[in-house]
Amino acid sequence: MVQHIESKEQFETMKQSGMPALVDFWATWCGPCKRIAPVIEELGAEYEGRANVAKVDVEEVDEVAVDFQVTSIPTLIFLDKEGKVAQRLVGVQTKAKLQEELNKLL
């Protein structure tokens, strides 16, 4: 299941869960974000219970986007079990690449 982050507090709770995470920074008007959205949904289902998969709308929760210095979207940030940035990818990525990065953190 993909978590739709709606506040900085919700993001912090997810980050401190003790599970690795894939966070998709996106916006409703972003074409490449729409292209990668189905892949993010699939990963949310596949990794449920093992990793957090979350989406942060940069216009709705801009303070989190600013904290992570997101300047282009989609930006995909992988967090380790301690909530630290392990990897950062910008632009549309393949499902295989995202799985590879997530698997490194499990």
Side-chain angles (χ1 to χ4, degrees):
M1 182 181 90
V2 175
Q3 297 179 51
H4 292 270
I5 303 296
E6 297 177 3
S7 68
K8 185 170 184 169
E9 294 75 24
Q10 184 184 8
F11 181 83
E12 290 299 323
T13 300
M14 183 270 308
K15 192 170 100 170
Q16 296 168 8
S17 71
M19 286 198 293
L22 162 58
V23 184
D24 174 22
F25 288 87
W26 70 290
T28 56
W29 47 264
C30 168
C33 300
K34 290 177 185 175
R35 275 204 317 267
I36 200 170
V39 171
I40 300 299
E41 292 295 329
E42 289 173 21
L43 292 172
E46 287 176 25
Y47 286 85
E48 190 164 358
R50 298 185 296 148
N52 291 308
V53 177
K55 292 177 73 77
V56 175
D57 185 326
V58 297
E59 293 187 328
E60 298 292 322
V61 194
D62 60 336
E63 58 194 318
V64 175
V66 168
D67 288 349
F68 283 90
Q69 301 174 346
V70 173
T71 56
S72 299
I73 53 174
T75 291
L76 303 150
I77 295 182
F78 296 82
L79 303 174
D80 64 17
K81 293 176 182 177
E82 286 82 44
K84 295 184 174 82
V85 175
Q87 177 64 284
R88 175 189 195 100
L89 302 172
V90 178
V92 175
Q93 305 292 322
T94 65
K95 182 177 179 181
K97 176 64 176 169
L98 299 178
Q99 287 171 316
E100 176 187 326
E101 295 300 329
L102 265 175
N103 289 338
K104 288 179 188 176
L105 300 173
L106 294 177

